[in-house]
Amino acid sequence: MSPESALDHVPVSVTPLEQFEQYLRRRGRRNTVQRRVVLDCVFRAHDHFDVDRLIEKLPRRGQPKYVSRPTIYRTLAEFVDAGLLRKFELGGRAVYELNYGYPDHDHLYCQGCQSLIEFQSDALVALRDAVAAQHRFRVTGHRLMITGLCAECQSGARRRPRRQPRS
Amino acid sequence: MSPESALDHVPVSVTPLEQFEQYLRRRGRRNTVQRRVVLDCVFRAHDHFDVDRLIEKLPRRGQPKYVSRPTIYRTLAEFVDAGLLRKFELGGRAVYELNYGYPDHDHLYCQGCQSLIEFQSDALVALRDAVAAQHRFRVTGHRLMITGLCAECQSGARRRPRRQPRS
DNA sequence: TTGCGTGCAAAAGGTTTGCATAAAT
DNA sequence: ATTTATGCAAACCTTTTGCACGCAA
């Protein structure tokens, strides 16, 4: 181990909250109660979630730390912009996932139980870059979704049916 | 060539129309003017398209072969079901593409001019199947979208700006 | 005190549905 | 004669926006 690696390896020297506060300060924007409440909830336990699932976990209207739906949308967009979350679409809804220290990854989507299984593949990134190079295309990102049935749903009927996607 | 390959290799022995008519007959459903009009328009020249772009090419309300928007949505869903089209989402909108004799393919999406560039990669399919196998996942399909800037948009400003996606 | 941020209500945008009528079988 | 399909209008669902008020700096 080289001397500087001691610094590199400090595990979580910058928390999401700190990173977001820096983001706000850099832009002269304000550190409000609502932003803190949403951030706290998002980074408490979620992996990926949609807006409705997030709202279920937040205080309801009338309660102490209520955050309105428009503000939630606005705040999540800021988190994406600040690099804390990534956003994608699934069945006509926006889905967010943590982007905090994670390496990029992609998903297997089970059509039986609607669960998302993450995987990471360097080979995929290499393949992506090779394809892009062939087309003189400058890559900023990618999204791969493999659809099918997870191991659980292959044996036995579907379980944990969640919500019917629209499409 | 074996004798039966003569049959297999007849290039386009089943047109989209014929395939769709079979699909309808099999289900005891009706071969209507509207279904024929939409099918004809879809398979005339389009590669991928969204509903609004399709409607632009169809007769307007009041004209001879007008097809209403709900019927267009219903008909496109049938085409997908019949295996003639594939559907995916891009920026909150449904996008359809021909699935008629095509091999599966994926897309580069240019954020400058909103164009979709197709590519086909066996290596990707192999990689997909390998990943799935590792997770004991049964694949039914996949969708890879590589985002970035096409060659044209890298040199010079963006051109052909179409419509702002919502997300 | 100076705006940025919030909640509310309403709009927007894309897609779906209920229903009476029209058309295919 | 039946029964499916269509067009219209309206509903739906998710997300965004206008605006007056409230709160952070």
Side-chain angles (χ1 to χ4, degrees):
Chain A
M1 289 196 192
S2 55
E4 68 274 20
S5 73
L7 275 175
D8 295 353
H9 289 162
V10 171
V12 192
S13 68
V14 177
T15 66
L17 176 60
E18 287 166 346
Q19 186 175 328
F20 188 55
E21 284 175 341
Q22 284 170 24
Y23 167 86
L24 292 176
R25 244 176 275 121
R26 238 181 290 127
R27 320 207 156 200
R29 313 182 70 181
R30 295 172 182 175
N31 188 344
T32 65
V33 179
Q34 289 88 340
R35 282 172 176 150
R36 272 175 272 127
V37 168
V38 175
L39 189 143
D40 190 59
C41 182
V42 162
F43 282 87
R44 181 177 305 284
H46 293 95
D47 174 31
H48 39 249
F49 60 91
D50 62 24
V51 171
D52 283 337
R53 208 122 66 206
L54 176 61
I55 287 179
E56 285 170 11
K57 304 216 173 192
L58 285 168
R60 331 209 152 276
R61 180 158 45 203
Q63 300 219 334
K65 296 182 158 188
Y66 170 71
V67 182
S68 71
R69 190 173 271 271
T71 293
I72 289 172
Y73 277 104
R74 289 185 278 233
T75 304
L76 290 175
E78 290 167 346
F79 291 172
V80 171
D81 195 44
L84 293 171
L85 292 180
R86 271 180 294 163
K87 175 186 180 181
F88 58 99
E89 307 211 351
L90 196 54
R93 268 187 291 278
V95 177
Y96 298 85
E97 68 184 0
L98 305 193
N99 189 31
Y100 172 62
Y102 274 51
D104 262 11
H105 59 267
D106 289 278
H107 296 96
L108 301 152
Y109 175 61
C110 177
Q111 298 171 310
C113 62
Q114 275 75 54
S115 64
L116 284 171
I117 301 155
E118 297 179 6
F119 70 91
Q120 205 279 326
S121 168
D122 295 331
L124 171 61
V125 175
L127 195 152
R128 172 196 83 175
D129 293 342
V131 167
Q134 274 172 30
H135 291 265
R136 269 172 242 135
F137 190 89
R138 194 169 77 209
V139 177
T140 59
H142 76 273
R143 191 63 74 179
L144 171 61
M145 185 72 65
I146 302 175
T147 51
L149 281 186
C150 72
E152 268 196 358
C153 286
Q154 283 172 61
S155 55
R158 71 191 57 74
R159 26 199 108 188
R160 271 200 306 143
R162 290 201 183 150
R163 150 184 2 217
Q164 260 352 316
R166 240 194 337 179
S167 46
Chain B
M1 290 197 189
S2 56
E4 67 274 21
S5 72
L7 276 174
D8 296 352
H9 290 163
V10 171
V12 194
S13 67
V14 177
T15 66
L17 176 61
E18 287 166 347
Q19 185 173 328
F20 188 55
E21 284 175 340
Q22 284 170 24
Y23 168 86
L24 292 175
R25 243 175 277 120
R26 238 180 291 125
R27 319 207 156 200
R29 312 181 71 182
R30 294 170 183 178
N31 188 342
T32 65
V33 179
Q34 290 87 341
R35 282 173 176 149
R36 270 176 273 128
V37 168
V38 175
L39 189 144
D40 190 59
C41 183
V42 163
F43 283 87
R44 180 177 305 285
H46 294 95
D47 175 30
H48 39 249
F49 59 91
D50 62 25
V51 171
D52 284 336
R53 207 121 67 208
L54 176 61
I55 287 179
E56 285 169 12
K57 304 216 173 194
L58 286 168
R60 334 209 150 276
R61 180 159 44 204
Q63 301 220 333
K65 293 181 159 190
Y66 170 71
V67 181
S68 70
R69 188 173 273 270
T71 293
I72 289 172
Y73 278 103
R74 289 184 279 233
T75 303
L76 290 175
E78 290 168 345
F79 291 171
V80 171
D81 195 44
L84 293 172
L85 292 182
R86 270 179 295 163
K87 174 185 181 180
F88 57 100
E89 307 212 351
L90 196 54
R93 268 187 291 279
V95 177
Y96 300 85
E97 69 184 0
L98 304 194
N99 189 31
Y100 172 63
Y102 273 52
D104 262 10
H105 59 268
D106 290 279
H107 297 97
L108 300 152
Y109 175 62
C110 177
Q111 297 171 311
C113 63
Q114 277 76 51
S115 63
L116 283 171
I117 302 155
E118 296 179 7
F119 70 91
Q120 205 278 327
S121 167
D122 295 331
L124 172 61
V125 175
L127 195 152
R128 173 196 83 176
D129 292 342
V131 167
Q134 274 170 32
H135 291 264
R136 269 172 243 136
F137 190 89
R138 194 169 77 209
V139 177
T140 59
H142 76 273
R143 190 64 73 178
L144 172 61
M145 184 73 65
I146 302 175
T147 51
L149 281 184
C150 72
E152 269 196 357
C153 287
Q154 283 172 61
S155 55
R158 70 191 59 74
R159 29 199 105 187
R160 269 201 307 145
R162 292 209 180 140
R163 147 183 7 213
Q164 263 348 321
R166 242 196 335 183
S167 46

